[in-house]
Amino acid sequence: MTVNGAPAGRPVLAATPGRPFGIYIHVPFCATRCGYCDFNTYTPSELGGANPDGWLAALRVELDLAAAQLGAPPAVQTVFVGGGTPSLLGGDGLAAVLDAVRDRFELAPGAEVTTEANPESTSPRFFDRLRAAGFTRVSLGMQSAAGHVLAVLDRVHSAGRAPAAAAEARAAGFEHVSIDLIYGTPGERDDDLRRSVDTALEAGIDHLSAYALVVEDGTALARRVRRGEVAAPDDDVLADRYTLLDARLSASGLTWYEVSNWSRPGAECRHNLGYWNGGEWWGAGPGAHGYLGATRWWNVKHPNAYASTLAERTLPVADFELLDDVDRHVEDVMLRLRLRTGLPLAVLSVVERERLGGAEADGLVVRAADRVVLTDRGRLLADAVVRQLLD
């Protein structure tokens, strides 16, 4: 077995005993490209002959190689199928993906198994098939309940389809149903966001993720902003919208557990908590990132290059990096501070603890027993707090 594209030798891909272990599967297919999206996704005209059947065959080979590389792999505590648009595979296709994981890895008792889905490519039958296959959680991309906001984002589903899909997932027996929102889109009003949050809550969800719109270079939205067709998001407006949705969610029983995520008790996304708490995962699929031990790696991006590499029984690694103690410390502070449980004070150096006093004086953090936790104001300035502690 060889590794393609390694800068100096091969990455060391070995799980660390005792650390949480998950598997991320990247599905690169999308029916259309949303104007704000810079993920590794491909519409039919960009695939160059690649298709879901070929992707799945290559994925099975990567999982074969992954299991061999890990020797005696730890039990998989979480599986997350993301994209792209995993729901384009249909219920049977996603069941086949989960079977491919189960055939090569042991799922821990009570493992969390999540898939993302776009509302327009779901149905009651789709959700029934996922539940029968063993999926435990579904995450729906709603973004907004306002039609004019969806139009700016180039979303193709109607404003009412996402809550209907969430209700269908609940009816199929999914205990955990999440919705994603984007706030701060040009033309969005406070009332639009209120309606989006209320619509999601009325659909019976127990988890919501909300992200400020970011204009990424190279996207259609960035070109529109550059031409002056739409305004760039305003930081003050984004802060006001975050405060609005946090208040509305909190009043309805969904509590923040990470800066951009709210849930009812017990409905937190365990896979993402693994990322934030220093867990490990194998990332499979075109462009997927993985992290084991001190090694982070990422796969080749295009589905054709991915399949061609795996046809040679070669891991499709495009590149990797080895994190030193400083790198891992920076990530530990940056990620764990975003959590409601906070950052253990023991993680901080003596100098960083001294800097902590400035953030406390500014009302950005508080000390709770042996941890430091962001205040409501600190959540709005989380990145600045991290810089203040580390710089």
Side-chain angles (χ1 to χ4, degrees):
M1 181 174 63
T2 61
V3 176
N4 181 52
R10 302 179 180 182
V12 177
L13 304 181
T16 305
R19 290 173 74 178
F21 177 70
I23 293 178
Y24 172 76
I25 306 288
H26 187 72
V27 180
F29 308 109
C30 279
T32 61
R33 184 176 302 283
C34 298
Y36 60 91
C37 180
D38 71 338
F39 293 168
N40 186 47
T41 63
Y42 301 86
T43 61
S45 65
E46 299 166 331
L47 285 170
N51 59 67
D53 288 341
W55 167 85
L56 181 56
L59 177 71
R60 290 188 176 112
V61 176
E62 183 179 4
L63 293 175
D64 281 339
L65 297 177
Q69 176 77 23
L70 294 174
V76 178
Q77 298 181 14
T78 63
V79 178
F80 195 104
V81 185
T85 309
S87 46
L88 287 178
L89 300 178
D92 289 343
L94 283 167
V97 169
L98 184 53
D99 284 343
V101 174
R102 281 204 196 96
D103 289 345
R104 295 155 179 87
F105 295 86
E106 176 191 357
L107 266 60
E112 176 191 87
V113 183
T114 306
T115 186
E116 295 179 337
N118 276 10
E120 73 277 8
S121 51
T122 64
S123 66
R125 181 179 178 183
F126 170 84
F127 292 118
D128 286 340
R129 183 69 181 93
L130 293 188
R131 284 296 294 138
F135 282 84
T136 66
R137 178 185 180 91
V138 63
S139 178
L140 294 161
M142 174 174 159
Q143 317 315 348
S144 177
H148 67 278
V149 174
L150 294 175
V152 173
L153 296 173
D154 294 323
R155 299 288 292 183
V156 298
H157 62 83
S158 67
R161 179 57 204 150
E168 291 166 1
R170 296 285 293 178
F174 278 94
E175 180 181 359
H176 300 308
V177 179
S178 179
I179 272 180
D180 287 359
L181 295 180
I182 290 176
Y183 60 93
T185 300
E188 179 191 59
R189 302 176 295 261
D190 285 353
D191 282 346
D192 295 326
L193 183 58
R194 289 191 188 96
R195 187 164 79 254
S196 296
V197 173
D198 291 349
T199 298
L201 292 169
E202 290 163 3
I205 63 165
D206 62 357
H207 186 284
L208 187 141
S209 301
Y211 305 102
L213 179 66
V214 176
V215 180
E216 301 285 1
D217 290 341
T219 62
L221 181 60
R223 292 189 288 273
R224 294 185 67 191
V225 170
R226 189 167 57 248
R227 292 193 297 263
E229 297 174 9
V230 295
D234 179 272
D235 287 343
D236 290 336
V237 171
L238 292 175
D240 289 344
R241 297 271 162 77
Y242 181 90
T243 301
L244 183 159
L245 69 88
D246 178 57
R248 216 155 185 91
L249 290 168
S250 297
S252 298
L254 273 73
T255 304
W256 79 280
Y257 69 96
E258 191 274 343
V259 168
S260 298
N261 290 271
W262 292 256
S263 76
R264 300 196 188 281
E268 299 85 354
C269 179
R270 287 159 46 198
H271 186 84
N272 287 342
L273 281 170
Y275 294 155
W276 297 318
N277 278 314
E280 299 183 343
W281 70 95
W282 189 284
H289 287 226
Y291 176 61
L292 293 172
T295 304
R296 178 184 291 111
W297 78 97
W298 46 97
N299 284 346
V300 295
K301 287 188 170 183
H302 197 279
N304 282 336
Y306 173 77
S308 296
T309 304
L310 285 160
E312 302 296 324
R313 302 291 296 182
T314 300
L315 280 173
V317 175
D319 208 345
F320 69 93
E321 59 182 344
L322 300 178
L323 305 184
D324 60 22
D325 289 343
V326 173
D327 295 327
R328 283 184 280 183
H329 175 72
V330 168
E331 290 200 355
D332 209 17
V333 173
M334 180 178 66
L335 295 174
R336 295 178 74 178
L337 189 62
R338 294 179 63 87
L339 295 170
R340 186 183 182 91
T341 52
L343 174 71
L345 283 167
V347 170
L348 298 175
S349 68
V350 173
V351 172
E352 289 164 350
R353 292 191 197 187
E354 292 174 355
R355 294 172 183 156
L356 186 61
E360 287 181 289
D362 292 337
L364 301 176
V365 298
V366 294
R367 300 191 195 210
D370 61 346
R371 292 176 176 263
V372 54
V373 180
L374 293 170
T375 63
D376 289 348
R377 180 167 177 264
R379 286 154 63 195
L380 297 171
L381 299 168
D383 292 342
V385 176
V386 170
R387 290 194 298 271
Q388 185 173 347
L389 293 179
L390 295 175
D391 290 346

